[in-house]
Amino acid sequence: MAESKTTDLAVIESFTPAVLDREAMMEELEGLELTFDRVKIPSGGGLAFEIPIDDDEVDTAKEIVGVIVDHHRVNAYWPTLYSGQGQPPACSSMDGKTGMAPPDSEVSWAGREQSCATCPLNQWGSDENGSGKACKNMVRLYILREGEAFPLMLTLPPTSIRNWANYLAKRVLGRGLRPHQVVTRIGLKREQSRSGIAYSQATFKLVGVLSQDVQQQMAAYSQSIKRVTRGV
């Protein structure tokens, strides 16, 4: 009989999240808009994440270690080059499948939905350089760290999605596991674009598998928190 692919993984016995009464938590949060602490990937090839401590202070860390309790695709289109100053996109999609543009949007389907698969702005060659997409395809990860009750939100840019996809498929799903069953280490490495511009790329490493008890807790937590994360 072939040996299980999970037998070569270390079992993480020490991971102890701040487990809450999930139903009570969701009851208290019902109708409220919850914002997660957003982790920023640095620009210019930086090798440290920016992690909020409170409303006015951030910390830096070379890696983030925790359990990924949710992940999903998001798309967003800005008519002008996105500067990160908080301007809303002209069209956005919370599932990477269907975009919605507000009535005052600059796109032709303003006030209506648009399929991302057939949207002209989501095709290769649609950006101003003719080499990429005008619409920005991203992935949101929600990482619950040890001893914490709410996850951090990390939005992966297009240049980091392949690393995430390979990690998810080969290191996690390929072992018959789910992201909420393992501890993941997320780091950064410096890469360079074809035009010579340095940028930061997220990396992923499987630290170990959670104990059976914690896996059950994380499975229930993941299902509960998705009711919030999918609406952010």
Side-chain angles (χ1 to χ4, degrees):
M1 180 179 294
E3 186 177 8
S4 170
K5 293 182 180 180
T6 63
T7 57
D8 59 339
L9 295 177
V11 176
I12 308 298
E13 301 283 0
S14 59
F15 188 87
T16 53
V19 179
L20 300 176
D21 184 326
R22 294 176 300 277
E23 292 306 317
M25 177 180 73
M26 299 312 299
E27 180 181 342
E28 294 293 343
L29 293 175
E30 185 176 0
L32 299 178
E33 182 178 348
L34 178 65
T35 59
F36 294 91
D37 288 337
R38 297 171 181 248
V39 180
K40 294 183 179 180
I41 292 181
S43 58
L47 298 178
F49 294 102
E50 296 180 7
I51 302 176
I53 298 177
D54 53 36
D55 292 340
D56 302 315
E57 189 177 357
V58 297
D59 194 8
T60 58
K62 292 185 177 180
E63 60 184 27
I64 302 171
V65 179
V67 176
I68 297 175
V69 292
D70 191 19
H71 62 92
H72 63 87
R73 294 187 296 160
V74 289
N75 293 338
Y77 167 69
W78 288 270
T80 56
L81 185 64
Y82 178 55
S83 62
Q85 297 305 310
Q87 65 269 36
C91 181
S92 61
S93 170
M94 281 297 297
D95 60 4
K97 298 177 181 179
T98 304
M100 171 57 76
D104 58 350
S105 175
E106 300 180 35
V107 296
S108 60
W109 58 91
R112 297 182 288 110
E113 293 184 347
Q114 167 73 24
S115 169
C116 294
T118 58
C119 178
L121 299 174
N122 197 35
Q123 309 304 315
W124 290 105
S126 59
D127 70 349
E128 58 184 10
N129 298 320
S131 59
K133 294 182 179 183
C135 182
K136 190 174 183 180
N137 299 159
M138 299 166 284
V139 171
R140 279 182 177 174
L141 306 180
Y142 292 86
I143 308 110
L144 183 66
R145 297 189 294 178
E146 185 174 8
E148 298 189 354
F150 294 98
L152 298 171
M153 185 176 78
L154 172 64
T155 301
L156 299 179
T159 51
S160 291
I161 292 178
R162 179 175 294 180
N163 286 355
W164 161 246
N166 284 333
Y167 168 74
L168 179 63
K170 299 176 183 178
R171 305 293 177 253
V172 182
L173 300 179
R175 286 185 164 98
L177 297 166
R178 302 286 298 277
H180 63 259
Q181 295 176 306
V182 302
V183 175
T184 299
R185 177 181 291 115
I186 306 173
L188 292 165
K189 67 176 180 177
R190 185 178 292 110
E191 293 288 352
Q192 194 172 68
S193 69
R194 293 179 181 178
S195 57
I197 299 175
Y199 65 92
S200 305
Q201 190 178 77
T203 63
F204 303 88
K205 182 177 178 61
L206 199 161
V207 178
V209 63
L210 296 169
S211 66
Q212 289 297 322
D213 288 345
V214 179
Q215 282 189 36
Q216 293 176 8
Q217 294 173 18
M218 288 298 94
Y221 180 94
S222 176
Q223 288 301 313
S224 295
I225 203 68
K226 284 178 182 179
R227 290 153 58 182
V228 181
T229 58
R230 300 302 174 104
V232 175

